Amino acid sequence: MTAWSERVSRVSRSGARGPYTVRPAGVRPAAAAVKQAARQAAGRQRATIAAVRRAAQQRRAEQRAAERRAQARQLAERRAEQRTERRAERRAERRAERRAERRAEVRRSVQRGERGERNSRTVVRRTQVRKSTKRYRTRGSSAGVSGRMAAVVSFARSQLGKRYAPGGDGPNAFDCSGFTKRAYAQIGLRLPHSSGAQAARARAIPRSAARPGDLVVGRGHVGVYMGRGMMIDAGNRRTGVVYRRLYAGLHIERF
């Protein structure tokens, strides 16, 4: 029994040291490595997900910033367009107001001329002027006219019936200042082609002291005084150069 026990003991000791023996301590390091690798993989995955999320958030932030910039540009463009439209509207309104004022001034001038013609006892039409020249000469003869102004009066009578033309100074058409400019040129008096400038060069006198050949002055209008409350002037397109009575708003000046 003692020998058998010793043999069994030797076999068991030799078998414990054999190649087929699995030690429990060898399992633990492999499992830990697997777990460590799994944790590292999970960490890398979480880092990747976080990076993707940050990139997406950054793209969304950039997109929102780009949209805000585009909206700001559109708003600035709309405001600029509105300012341009308002300026254009104001310019159009000012032009319309100026046109309305000019039309109103023309209407007032026409109305003043029509009132003067209604108050006048003698209304001469262009078709009757040449036939009535003798009658005008008897009513406004050169008798009593100074030698210097006789040429002015004679020239004014000789132009009766000629047509009115803006800016005209003869020989076939006149405006008011062009007519008086040519009339006073007969006595060597050089006048500007402007009613206001002509009036500024003369001095005002009372009607009671007026003599034929004096200058008749109104608002934006001039003519030649013919005596007895009558004048010759280039009135407007409808009358042309006409002999008529002084109307309200006119006064007499002398060079």
Side-chain angles (χ1 to χ4, degrees):
M1 290 296 291
T2 302
W4 174 259
S5 297
E6 290 177 357
R7 192 168 52 251
V8 170
S9 177
R10 283 196 300 271
V11 170
S12 62
R13 285 196 299 270
S14 63
R17 290 191 298 270
Y20 300 104
T21 302
V22 178
R23 296 179 180 178
V27 177
R28 294 193 188 97
V34 170
K35 290 180 180 179
Q36 181 66 22
R39 283 195 298 270
Q40 291 175 354
R44 287 193 296 271
Q45 186 175 8
R46 285 194 297 271
T48 302
I49 292 172
V52 170
R53 287 176 178 173
R54 284 193 300 271
Q57 290 174 355
Q58 185 176 0
R59 284 195 299 272
R60 286 195 294 269
E62 292 174 352
Q63 185 176 3
R64 286 194 295 268
E67 290 174 353
R68 285 193 296 269
R69 287 193 296 269
Q71 291 173 355
R73 284 195 300 271
Q74 292 175 357
L75 180 60
E77 290 173 355
R78 284 198 298 270
R79 288 178 177 173
E81 291 174 355
Q82 290 172 355
R83 286 194 296 270
T84 302
E85 291 173 355
R86 285 195 295 270
R87 285 195 294 268
E89 290 172 356
R90 287 194 293 269
R91 286 195 295 268
E93 290 173 356
R94 287 194 293 270
R95 286 195 296 268
E97 290 173 356
R98 287 195 292 269
R99 285 196 296 268
E101 289 173 356
R102 287 195 293 270
R103 287 195 294 267
E105 180 61 27
V106 170
R107 284 196 296 270
R108 287 193 293 270
S109 299
V110 172
Q111 289 171 358
R112 285 195 297 269
E114 291 175 350
R115 284 196 298 269
E117 289 177 0
R118 285 196 297 268
N119 294 333
S120 176
R121 294 180 181 178
T122 305
V123 179
V124 181
R125 297 182 180 177
R126 293 177 64 182
T127 56
Q128 298 173 339
V129 171
R130 291 183 179 85
K131 296 179 181 179
S132 305
T133 302
K134 291 182 180 179
R135 177 166 60 86
Y136 294 146
R137 287 179 177 173
T138 58
R139 293 185 60 184
S141 72
S142 299
V145 180
S146 66
R148 184 169 182 264
M149 288 298 158
V152 175
V153 172
S154 177
F155 175 83
R157 287 200 190 99
S158 67
Q159 306 305 308
L160 287 170
K162 291 189 176 180
R163 63 186 180 87
Y164 178 93
D169 62 353
N172 299 317
F174 298 91
D175 63 5
C176 65
S177 58
F179 172 72
T180 52
K181 175 185 177 182
R182 289 294 296 273
Y184 288 102
Q186 307 305 309
I187 59 173
L189 187 58
R190 294 184 178 182
L191 298 179
H193 195 159
S194 165
S195 58
Q198 290 180 11
R201 294 184 59 175
R203 69 183 190 279
I205 60 172
R207 283 199 183 188
S208 59
R211 294 196 299 265
D214 287 335
L215 184 70
V216 177
V217 178
R219 185 176 180 181
H221 189 65
V222 287
V224 177
Y225 184 66
M226 302 300 290
R228 297 182 181 181
M230 304 299 289
M231 68 176 179
I232 294 178
D233 67 327
N236 51 55
R237 292 181 185 276
R238 184 168 56 83
T239 63
V241 179
V242 63
Y243 179 91
R244 57 177 170 171
R245 185 172 297 278
L246 272 67
Y247 55 83
L250 298 177
H251 64 277
I252 307 298
E253 295 190 4
R254 182 172 296 163
F255 291 105

